Amino acid sequence: MSSYFVSLAGLGVTRGPPEPTFFHGYYSAESSTDSIGTTIQYHPRSMDPTIKLESEDHRRDAQFNHAMHGQTAKERTHLMALMKKDSKAQKAAVDEYFKYWDDKGAANETATDRHERRAHYATLTRHYYNLATDFYEYGWARSFHFCRFGPGESFLQALARHEHYLAYMMGIQKGMKVLDVGCGVGGPAREIAKFTDCEITGLNNNDYQIERARLYTESEGFTKQIQFVKGDFMVRRLSNSSGIGVYAAGNNQRSRVCLQQMSFPQYSFDAVYAIEATVHAPSLQGVYSQIFRVLKPGGVFGVFEWLMTEKYDDDVLHHRKIRIGIEQGDGISNMVKISEALRAIEAAGFVLEHHEDLAERVDVSPWYYPLAGDFKHMGSVLDFFRILRMTRLGRGVVHGFVGGLEKIRVAPVGSQKTADSLAVAADSLVAGGKEKLFTPMYLMIARKPLNAEPAS
């Protein structure tokens, strides 16, 4: 059993340089740089050709989920769930995640470092949420996103209003079939289902989060309206000669690369939304193209995207520190600028109907105030302890508490390192917000044309 934990093959990692990748017969080993300085080239309705994507392996993921988390998805207390993780499995996840970040800070990050993170984005994201989910639920809520705040509005009310606003802008109606891309533990899906009475499918590549999402959804009585599916944004899948999707089982299997990455047929959904999730994809054009494929003609896509603003300058060390702090602490392989996201959504085939940075609206409280631990912006006394946990004092207590539990082997190895990484991310997010270098809520509403051609 122990050999499984230290086996890189068990974590879905391959060694050696990425191989050339072909999509739609288009290949490029060299191309222009994106807004952050990473190699990328846009091509209408195609995936990013410069990145070799991992193959899905649900059995491997399920085995690792069972080994690390066991039955902790059923725990009601988040810190109790954290302490009951398998220490060897957690250490494997910590080692696998942080190998992409350790000693690769703003001063010495290379294009190769960023390429590696993009090539292994699925493993990066999966293990990030293996490590961070319990901390998220403890410190934030069951909806893993930021929001705007109105006068006298509590934290949870503001989160729900943010979700309602997206559903309103998209025009989601009763009975529509809707896809939630990167659904977390299902907080937004449950809220939007309540608000609109639509039917939602949540897509997630992390088994632990799916277990938590199903548990919460069942307890709230929404199992007939909401389902959760294990899957990836755009990971490479294989198909046999009959076109039936199969997972990579070795070089001897007769198979072909399938360009339809999400495991849904085209024209499956009336609407698709993503709330601060598609930032985990290695290519926005790639994930937007997959969303375009599964939407019905005339269907709508709405997204709150994490983006660097046009003020961001990758040649400025301070700017890079903020970006990398956000990326490392939030499991992001490749964050880009607003202008690139706008190009990507149109290159995917969408007609952009509305876009704006909601962080630029004048509100009574900034979106980042909870992370800053700023009590003067608190809208309700009910939020006191939530905000307290976000202060430097609160984070310091968590650092010491988790570290102490690690030393006496109550908490698994790597818990303190994960908590510290989240703290760095919090500081970087606040700095990015205050300096207007970053936004977590760039809203884009786009529609698939009625005359859109079927995917090839």
Side-chain angles (χ1 to χ4, degrees), residues 68-356:
M68 178 173 172
H69 300 288
Q71 298 299 312
T72 60
K74 298 178 182 178
E75 289 288 342
R76 296 291 181 176
T77 304
H78 311 307
L79 290 181
M80 187 62 69
L82 175 68
M83 288 186 286
K84 290 185 177 181
K85 308 299 183 192
D86 182 274
S87 187
K88 291 181 179 179
Q90 171 141 326
K91 184 179 184 303
V94 168
D95 291 345
E96 180 62 24
Y97 179 74
F98 284 101
K99 79 176 186 181
Y100 295 106
W101 304 103
D102 289 344
D103 302 319
K104 297 173 184 177
N108 55 6
E109 182 193 46
T110 67
T112 300
D113 295 333
R114 294 186 67 73
H115 186 99
E116 281 293 298
R117 292 198 288 265
R118 293 173 72 197
H120 297 103
Y121 89 98
T123 292
L124 190 81
T125 303
R126 187 169 57 253
H127 284 308
Y128 171 75
Y129 284 112
N130 277 332
L131 299 169
T133 295
D134 295 318
F135 286 104
Y136 271 37
E137 291 194 55
Y138 162 74
W140 197 255
R142 293 176 185 174
S143 290
F144 300 164
H145 62 80
F146 293 104
C147 61
R148 298 168 59 211
F149 294 93
E153 191 173 40
S154 73
F155 180 81
L156 293 180
Q157 286 175 326
L159 285 178
R161 181 168 63 85
H162 199 61
E163 294 156 3
H164 295 172
Y165 184 71
L166 179 62
Y168 164 75
M169 290 293 289
M170 293 175 63
I172 296 177
Q173 302 291 327
K174 178 180 179 178
M176 290 177 66
K177 295 187 181 300
V178 179
L179 177 65
D180 179 339
V181 176
C183 62
V185 296
R190 289 185 293 275
E191 190 62 41
I192 290 175
K194 294 175 191 175
F195 182 64
T196 67
D197 207 19
C198 68
E199 298 175 15
I200 297 179
T201 298
L203 178 68
N204 196 321
N205 85 334
N206 183 276
D207 297 76
Y208 181 63
Q209 287 196 341
I210 291 174
E211 288 184 16
R212 300 287 281 182
R214 287 173 176 162
L215 179 71
Y216 296 140
T217 301
E218 182 178 3
S219 69
E220 294 186 32
F222 279 92
T223 53
K224 292 184 179 180
Q225 199 173 341
I226 305 171
Q227 64 172 329
F228 297 97
V229 176
K230 163 75 173 179
D232 219 315
F233 294 159
M234 50 190 288
V235 71
R236 184 178 65 176
R237 300 179 75 241
L238 299 179
S239 296
N240 59 23
S241 58
S242 66
I244 299 174
V246 296
Y247 300 112
N251 294 330
N252 294 327
Q253 183 167 0
R254 296 179 62 187
S255 57
R256 62 180 176 83
V257 173
C258 175
L259 301 181
Q260 298 178 0
Q261 308 296 312
M262 287 186 184
S263 55
F264 305 108
Q266 61 182 341
Y267 308 154
S268 293
F269 299 99
D270 301 298
V272 179
Y273 69 83
I275 300 179
E276 303 182 19
T278 45
V279 67
H280 291 294
S283 160
L284 288 183
Q285 184 186 340
V287 68
Y288 294 164
S289 295
Q290 289 302 303
I291 290 168
F292 186 92
R293 183 184 66 81
V294 301
L295 264 177
K296 296 176 182 177
V300 63
F301 171 46
V303 58
F304 288 131
E305 194 65 82
W306 277 33
L307 296 166
M308 305 308 293
T309 69
E310 299 309 304
K311 287 186 64 178
Y312 176 85
D313 185 348
D314 200 56
D315 292 329
V316 178
L317 180 61
H318 174 65
H319 288 194
R320 291 203 306 276
K321 286 181 178 179
I322 289 174
R323 170 181 59 78
I324 292 176
I326 295 171
E327 289 177 335
Q328 176 181 330
D330 291 287
I332 300 167
S333 66
N334 184 61
M335 199 153 49
V336 299
K337 285 185 178 181
I338 291 171
S339 55
E340 181 167 324
L342 295 174
R343 290 196 301 269
I345 202 166
E346 292 183 336
F350 285 103
V351 175
L352 194 58
E353 296 184 341
H354 178 82
H355 66 95
E356 72 170 304

